[in-house]
Amino acid sequence: MLDLTAYGTPNDTPPLLIAHGLFGSARNWGVIAKRLSDTRHVIAVDMRNHGNSPWFSTHSYEDMAADLAKTLGDLGQPADVLGHSMGGKAAMVLATRHPDLINKLVVADIAPVGYSHSQMEPIDAMKAVDLSKIDKRSDAASQMTNLDQGVQSFLLQSLDIQQRKWLLNLDVLAAEMDKIVGFPPISGSFEGPTLFLSGGASDYVLPKHRQIIKPLFPNAKFAKIPNAGHWLHAEKPREFEAAVRAFLDM
């Protein structure tokens, strides 16, 4: 059972489930989730091996999709789903396997393809922190000087100071990194309304990816947020919220 944070109250509008990206948590989406909850029930989850959700020995997209399917099943009605990066890939697998659970799908800055980059540098940086010497976040930050400050600040949100531990299953995420940056072969399609919302300055969703996306998501639409990178929801939160709201309210 994934740990979740709920906003707003259930009503006649389909609920919205939010799935975060690698190294993230439901907490990262709190501001946007709260804003969108003015008209609908919003549920932000901690993905497996992240935040307060259980740790497992695997981190495949099939597993993550199954976790989300269980969460949606507990809601008792089809929901809109928003996934960013890793969460977007999990949401796409979910949509093709359980289309009956999803009303509308928003995929934020990711495509159903494998990528050549790795995310091992942040894992190595977190593993290198001597947690026995941590009394405040700045103590950890001083040991992570090899990272960009924005990445450093983001990762430190997953550090439990009191218990001196990372709220990330770093060993499993490292072991499963090839699966995380990859994408599994999938069959089937999701014919519901789908929005691929990308950062205008990001190269994660390219024109060449559309020939892969369209057979899987025949009703996909594409939009970009100008001057936003991969972390579009954090860089341009108001524009991101407006784009998601406009699509869900159509």
Side-chain angles (χ1 to χ4, degrees):
M1 173 82 66
L2 297 180
D3 190 78
L4 57 85
T5 305
Y7 302 83
T9 55
N11 54 36
D12 293 336
T13 304
L16 172 64
L17 176 73
I18 300 178
H20 64 77
L22 182 62
F23 308 135
S25 67
R27 173 186 171 189
N28 303 146
W29 287 84
V31 173
I32 287 175
K34 187 173 183 179
R35 288 174 181 163
L36 291 172
S37 72
D38 62 344
T39 58
R40 68 180 65 235
H41 190 44
V42 179
I43 303 98
V45 300
D46 283 344
M47 303 292 277
R48 63 169 48 208
N49 298 314
H50 289 70
N52 294 313
S53 281
W55 285 15
F56 297 91
S57 60
T58 63
H59 202 79
S60 71
Y61 286 111
E62 294 89 344
D63 291 333
M64 286 184 271
D67 294 340
L68 295 177
K70 176 65 168 64
T71 301
L72 290 176
D74 291 343
L75 291 178
Q77 67 179 110
D80 297 330
V81 175
L82 161 61
H84 171 250
S85 200
M86 179 191 77
K89 285 186 172 181
M92 286 188 278
V93 174
L94 168 71
T96 58
R97 297 198 169 186
H98 302 280
D100 56 306
L101 294 177
I102 300 181
N103 179 42
K104 292 184 177 183
L105 175 65
V106 180
V107 180
D109 210 65
I110 204 73
V113 300
Y115 293 86
S116 59
H117 65 266
S118 174
Q119 295 291 343
M120 287 303 301
E121 185 180 9
I123 290 180
D124 292 340
M126 286 184 279
K127 282 187 169 187
V129 173
D130 184 349
L131 296 173
S132 67
K133 299 179 180 178
I134 300 301
D135 293 310
K136 51 187 182 299
R137 261 173 237 289
S138 59
D139 294 334
S142 66
Q143 299 183 49
M144 301 170 70
T145 55
N146 58 319
L147 294 178
D148 173 86
Q149 187 171 359
V151 173
Q152 182 191 93
S153 298
F154 171 67
L155 296 176
L156 287 173
Q157 294 181 48
S158 290
L159 177 61
D160 185 325
I161 298 296
Q162 289 187 326
Q163 298 189 54
R164 292 183 175 178
K165 69 175 187 178
W166 293 102
L167 298 177
L168 298 165
N169 191 344
L170 297 177
D171 289 339
V172 167
L173 295 178
E176 299 278 84
M177 186 56 66
D178 286 347
K179 294 178 183 177
I180 295 170
V181 299
F183 193 74
I186 56 176
S187 58
S189 63
F190 175 69
E191 299 192 3
T194 304
L195 174 65
F196 282 80
L197 182 59
S198 306
S202 171
D203 61 0
Y204 274 71
V205 182
L206 301 173
K208 68 180 181 180
H209 293 148
R210 295 193 182 194
Q211 62 186 353
I212 300 171
I213 291 170
K214 273 298 190 177
L216 299 172
F217 305 96
N219 287 311
K221 297 186 176 182
F222 301 85
K224 289 184 179 291
I225 296 180
N227 303 314
H230 184 57
W231 302 98
L232 64 175
H233 60 291
E235 296 171 24
K236 300 286 184 179
R238 288 294 190 181
E239 293 88 342
F240 183 86
E241 175 204 343
V244 169
R245 190 186 295 273
F247 174 71
L248 296 182
D249 290 348
M250 281 173 53

